[in-house]
Amino acid sequence: MTKVLIINPHYDDPALPYFECAPKEVYEYLSGEGEDVAIIEDDATPEKLRDYILNHPEIEHIYALGHGSKDTYTVIDTEPFLSTVLNLDLVKDRVISLLSCLTAKELGAAIVQAGAIAYFGYSEEVITFAVPTPCGSRFAIAPIVGDIEKEKSLHAKKDYEECYNDAISRWNEEIEYWRENYDKEKYNGEQVTEELAGELINTIIHNRDCFTLMLSPPPPPPPSPVPEIILSALSITALGGLIMHQTKALSRWF
């Protein structure tokens, strides 16, 4: 039974290879942990993905890489798969994680309003370096380490705010590493300079700061004998709608 579905679209695209270490590492980690996980790569078309998800109602979590916009997530050949008007019936009662640009602007809210338990994504462009060997070094993976950490925390059954915070903490750890140890690392066969390390740190900060969590609204509280005026005040606190963590960021890429 498949509990986690990873979507890693394979096609002739200049950007995706620099990010696919995230879905690949997550797949290897979950497999090693004994999780029931499937990865779809060469066949990641909208039609095949929809059929797969409909045929596997036991899927609890979908982790997907791909180009995005404020209202759409795309797969092979940048064909739309999830949007504010497309395939939202597939997200109900699931956790949806999109390693994709800009989807927190509109699509994330549509996903949770359609019944998803939680949405993780990005309010701005996700960026990284076009390194000679994608995913072949710590330098290459550094900009997306928080996204990978979030998936590990989800596997550990942590609550969603804690998964979000674990991702932020992992990015912060990586920032400190490159501030203190950049001269121990190499980029394209040469020692990383302080200037290059600074560019990498700015990239990590950008991805960290536009990382977003949205949660479905909690159910209304049960009736209570509390006096009406006090109940009204309590309701304002308890019924806050979407819980959203979002900050501003830079620009570029995905």
Side-chain angles (χ1 to χ4, degrees):
M1 295 176 63
T2 303
K3 293 184 180 180
V4 181
L5 171 62
I6 297 175
I7 303 172
N8 182 30
H10 275 184
Y11 63 104
D12 186 17
D13 180 87
L16 296 185
Y18 302 103
F19 294 89
E20 69 173 14
C21 39
K24 284 185 173 180
E25 181 170 327
V26 170
Y27 176 74
E28 291 173 1
Y29 174 80
L30 294 180
S31 296
E33 290 290 304
E35 181 63 275
D36 200 349
V37 56
I39 187 167
I40 297 179
E41 298 179 317
D42 297 329
D43 294 331
T45 65
E47 298 77 17
K48 290 187 177 180
L49 288 168
R50 179 173 176 82
D51 287 345
Y52 187 89
I53 294 168
L54 288 175
N55 290 326
H56 292 81
E58 71 275 14
I59 292 172
E60 298 174 358
H61 173 40
I62 298 173
Y63 179 44
L65 168 68
H67 288 288
S69 65
K70 64 182 182 180
D71 59 6
T72 304
Y73 160 74
T74 70
V75 287
I76 280 182
D77 297 328
T78 61
E79 291 191 41
F81 175 56
L82 281 177
S83 77
T84 52
V85 295
L86 181 66
N87 285 329
L88 288 178
D89 60 308
L90 301 178
V91 307
K92 184 174 173 56
D93 297 327
R94 290 174 168 138
V95 176
I96 308 297
S97 300
L98 300 181
L99 179 50
S100 185
C101 288
L102 299 166
T103 58
K105 288 187 176 296
E106 294 180 13
L107 180 55
I111 285 172
V112 295
Q113 288 166 8
I117 299 169
Y119 154 89
F120 292 91
Y122 294 83
S123 61
E124 300 294 338
E125 292 86 355
V126 189
I127 61 177
T128 192
F129 286 78
V131 295
T133 305
C135 305
S137 65
R138 182 164 187 164
F139 188 100
I141 300 174
I144 51 176
V145 291
D147 204 86
I148 296 169
E149 188 68 25
K150 167 258 300 172
E151 294 297 311
K152 294 179 179 179
S153 295
L154 284 169
H155 171 70
K157 307 299 183 185
K158 296 184 179 182
D159 65 55
Y160 303 117
E161 291 94 339
E162 191 172 2
C163 294
Y164 172 88
N165 289 330
D166 286 350
I168 300 301
S169 296
R170 182 66 189 87
W171 270 309
N172 289 339
E173 290 170 3
E174 198 68 10
I175 289 167
E176 290 306 309
Y177 177 85
W178 287 99
R179 282 176 176 159
E180 300 295 330
N181 300 286
Y182 66 87
D183 55 349
K184 299 177 183 177
E185 299 290 340
K186 290 188 176 182
Y187 171 78
N188 198 18
E190 298 184 2
Q191 181 177 306
V192 174
T193 64
E194 185 175 5
E195 180 180 5
L196 184 57
E199 292 182 25
L200 177 61
I201 288 168
N202 287 338
T203 300
I204 297 170
I205 290 171
H206 163 77
N207 290 346
R208 178 199 69 188
D209 287 355
C210 66
F211 183 60
T212 302
L213 164 65
M214 297 181 187
L215 297 175
S216 295
S224 169
V226 178
E228 182 176 351
I229 187 169
I230 300 176
L231 177 59
S232 175
L234 289 175
S235 297
I236 291 170
T237 302
L239 303 178
L242 296 178
I243 297 171
M244 181 172 176
H245 303 279
Q246 184 173 337
T247 53
K248 60 185 179 180
L250 309 174
S251 62
R252 221 169 69 212
W253 255 124
F254 211 31

